[in-house]
Amino acid sequence: MTVKRPPAQSSRSADRNLLPLLVGTWSTEGKLVGLPAHPRNTLVAVDRYEWVPGLELLAHYVAGHLGRTSVASFDVWARDRGRQSYASTSFDDNGVATTFQSRFRGGEWTIVGEKQRFRGSFSKDRLTIVGTWDQKASGVWKPWLTITLRKAGA
């Protein structure tokens, strides 16, 4: 079976297409915002992005721990060429589905859902992502978790 992948990207067009940049395994560390440095306030996880065979979709798996609590999720990402953005649906370890719209411009990556959003950026070499997840409560966005992802094997 042949795995269909998007055509190779030049550095200019890659800035408009986030998905190929994500492919691979990432080591993820994070800390809950506003809480003291302590293992119970720390996230340690592995993020893995891979192409879905035969489709221009990206599967994203997350497994890790936030303190002593296990965290896991699965997302499916698709490029929405008409909107110049990305659509994703995420399923958490309780089976709850959440939809997001994302944009990638000038190295800045934003992901926005109804109650969560991410704002972050890639390093120049595209091997590190640093950002903050916010949560919406009573109509107000509040920082929740700072994270750093480092591409494995880089």
Side-chain angles (χ1 to χ4, degrees):
M1 170 189 204
T2 303
V3 176
K4 182 179 178 183
R5 289 193 173 90
Q9 302 290 315
S10 71
S11 60
R12 183 177 170 169
S13 64
D15 195 49
R16 286 177 263 147
N17 192 353
L18 170 70
L19 301 184
L21 296 176
L22 294 172
V23 172
T25 301
W26 299 76
S27 173
T28 304
E29 297 176 350
K31 180 187 168 303
L32 293 172
V33 173
L35 296 175
H38 191 278
R40 72 175 166 255
N41 302 325
T42 302
L43 170 73
V44 177
V46 173
D47 286 67
R48 189 175 87 240
Y49 293 87
E50 61 187 45
W51 292 112
V52 174
L55 301 171
E56 288 189 29
L57 299 174
L58 199 64
H60 173 214
Y61 306 86
V62 178
H65 287 87
L66 180 54
R68 293 183 185 159
T69 304
S70 292
V71 293
S73 65
F74 170 75
D75 314 339
V76 178
W77 289 73
R79 186 170 182 206
D80 183 340
R81 286 179 174 80
R83 290 184 176 180
Q84 296 184 343
S85 66
Y86 305 88
S88 65
T89 300
S90 176
F91 302 89
D92 70 15
D93 46 1
N94 293 315
V96 175
T98 306
T99 59
F100 294 95
Q101 280 292 327
S102 306
R103 294 202 184 281
F104 180 59
R105 290 208 172 82
E108 299 287 324
W109 183 17
T110 58
I111 305 171
V112 180
E114 187 178 330
K115 295 183 181 181
Q116 291 183 326
R117 72 178 180 192
F118 174 79
R119 293 172 294 148
S121 59
F122 281 79
S123 60
K124 268 189 164 183
D125 62 10
R126 306 282 201 222
L127 299 175
T128 304
I129 304 166
V130 175
T132 301
W133 278 99
D134 300 328
Q135 289 186 330
K136 195 176 205 180
S138 301
V140 177
W141 290 105
K142 294 184 180 182
W144 170 60
L145 180 70
T146 59
I147 64 167
T148 301
L149 294 88
R150 290 181 180 82
K151 199 157 202 179

